Amino acid sequence: MSLIQIKDKCFRTFIPEEQIQKEVIRVADEISRDLQGEAPVFISVLNGAFMFTSDLMKNLSIPCEISFVKLASYQGTVSTGEVKELVGLNTDISGRTVVIVEDIVDTGLTMQALIKKISAYHPKEIRIATLLLKPEKLKIDLAIDYVAMHIPNDFIVGYGLDYEGLGRNYRDIYTIVE
Ligand code: 5GP
């Protein structure tokens, strides 16, 4: 086990690189099997999903396209701070099978908002792939098709996930030491 310090917080190794890679390959195999003949469009949610997306794509064996999106705070004249807009979607997804690629589903509210936004483009089907799921925190009824790993309700960093902008570069996933 190794400890890292990011700003005022200490983290310890939680999921080592080898285990992450094994689970990502399993998810990639499941997607390749389920979506054979579909030529899906993967929609990767920045910033957190960039590393998962990269490893997932390298292990897929079906033809696929990718688009990177962000959920940004609404920039209009009236902003509640809650309203988010989807930016960066540059692929025509109407009638296509879409796989949303996320880093982590916590309460599920971000994913719910994403599904609503993406549905407006009339895809044939939306599937969800997440690296991590915190089942105890899930607030809504969400059908998640692909989950690499289930984790307890603690704050984690590494493998794309940050604490105050730092820690995304680690190959392992770390959990907070209280
Ligand atoms: P939700 O809307 O499902 O509650 O939250 C999803 C978002 O919260 C994720 O995309 C991620 O940005 C952030 N998040 C939730 N849990 C964690 C965590 O343990 N670590 C980090 N770094 N981000 C988290």
Side-chain angles (χ1 to χ4, degrees):
M1 181 190 77
S2 68
L3 292 172
I4 56 167
Q5 182 80 27
I6 303 177
K7 296 196 174 174
D8 59 325
K9 303 264 187 268
C10 184
F11 297 85
R12 65 174 165 80
T13 321
F14 178 49
I15 310 173
E17 181 182 12
E18 299 71 36
Q19 193 182 338
I20 298 170
Q21 293 301 328
K22 192 175 134 230
E23 299 303 336
V24 172
I25 289 169
R26 175 184 56 76
V27 167
D29 288 345
E30 284 174 22
I31 294 174
S32 298
R33 185 196 60 214
D34 293 352
L35 300 184
Q36 208 156 24
E38 287 290 329
V41 180
F42 287 79
I43 297 184
S44 170
V45 187
L46 294 173
N47 294 328
F50 78 95
M51 218 178 262
F52 173 44
T53 304
S54 168
D55 287 335
L56 184 69
M57 298 299 284
K58 283 186 272 185
N59 288 290
L60 290 170
S61 58
I62 49 169
C64 54
E65 290 172 51
I66 186 156
S67 193
F68 292 91
V69 298
K70 260 193 172 187
L71 270 178
S73 295
Y74 182 59
Q75 296 296 312
T77 48
V78 184
S79 174
T80 61
E82 289 294 312
V83 186
K84 300 264 188 167
E85 64 172 334
L86 186 71
V87 294
L89 186 62
N90 57 7
T91 307
D92 181 7
I93 59 165
S94 110
R96 304 279 304 271
T97 295
V98 162
V99 182
I100 302 175
V101 183
E102 253 288 29
D103 54 354
I104 185 163
V105 174
D106 191 358
T107 62
L109 295 174
T110 304
M111 186 56 77
Q112 191 179 43
L114 267 167
I115 291 169
K116 198 169 165 215
K117 296 277 177 196
I118 290 170
S119 298
Y121 294 89
H122 307 293
K124 176 180 165 194
E125 183 192 359
I126 298 176
R127 293 198 177 212
I128 302 170
T130 185
L131 174 72
L132 299 159
L133 172 67
K134 290 180 180 171
E136 290 161 28
K137 284 276 287 284
L138 200 57
K139 273 191 183 166
I140 52 164
D141 191 16
L142 199 61
I144 305 179
D145 303 275
Y146 308 101
V147 180
M149 291 164 291
H150 293 79
I151 59 166
N153 190 12
D154 301 313
F155 188 79
I156 51 111
V157 293
Y159 195 69
L161 290 109
D162 74 311
Y163 170 56
E164 296 202 351
L166 296 171
R168 295 191 196 275
N169 53 307
Y170 290 106
R171 290 166 175 265
D172 306 312
I173 291 173
Y174 293 78
T175 189
I176 198 156
V177 179
E178 298 293 353

